[in-house]
Amino acid sequence: MKISVILNGKRTEAEIHPDMLLIDFIREHGCYSVKRGCETSNCGLCTVFLNDQPVLSCSLLAARADGCKVDTLEGLQEEAREFGTFIANQGAEQCGFCNPGMIMNAIALFRENPDPSEEEIKEYLEGNLCRCSGYEGQLRGIMDFLEYKKKGGAL
């Protein structure tokens, strides 16, 4: 079957098998920030935006994305760059494996709620696998970023 998606702003068409997962389609088209972690929709490493909503690409058939807009971290560099430095400044990117999924979910949080409480931030982080830092660095990075934004983007 043939599908067509807008992948990171570029129309992408391909013949796929009906059982192909969206994660496989995305990776076949060069978006390697999207990773496999658990294969059970529990780790957040495969998070992408489908029509601007975060979804787990390991549990979605590529055919369901036909006609949709799909954004990965590669397509959100402008939005991710500023925030990513706050995560790095906290040493929360030790191995880096969880960073793309973590950043995608943080962007989803910021879009949905520009001024989340610490508890709301923790709710967004709990669906993301991180084996190195125990989430404290990510939490501090998000809190620092939000404070930075409140000050108008001035350090």
Side-chain angles (χ1 to χ4, degrees), residues 38-140:
C38 66
E39 303 265 356
T40 60
S41 304
N42 287 309
C43 70
L45 296 175
C46 67
T47 301
V48 300
F49 289 146
L50 182 68
N51 292 332
D52 296 320
Q53 296 299 312
V55 298
L56 299 171
S57 63
C58 76
S59 62
L60 185 71
L61 292 172
R64 300 277 313 240
D66 186 31
C68 296
K69 180 177 115 172
V70 178
D71 292 305
T72 68
L73 192 57
E74 286 88 351
L76 299 173
Q77 288 300 300
E78 288 287 317
E79 202 168 351
R81 184 173 292 116
E82 185 177 43
F83 168 66
T85 60
F86 285 84
I87 294 295
N89 287 343
Q90 290 297 328
E93 80 303 338
Q94 291 178 22
C95 81
F97 195 68
C98 71
N99 277 359
M102 191 73 67
I103 290 173
M104 291 295 288
N105 281 295
I107 289 171
L109 169 64
F110 302 148
R111 287 179 176 182
E112 184 178 310
N113 182 355
D115 190 24
S117 68
E118 186 172 327
E119 194 57 39
E120 290 168 321
I121 295 167
K122 287 178 180 179
E123 286 177 27
Y124 267 79
L125 295 183
E126 72 185 12
N128 291 277
L129 174 71
C130 177
R131 293 182 178 147
C132 297
S133 69
Y135 305 100
E136 288 302 313
Q138 286 92 342
L139 178 60
R140 285 191 310 268

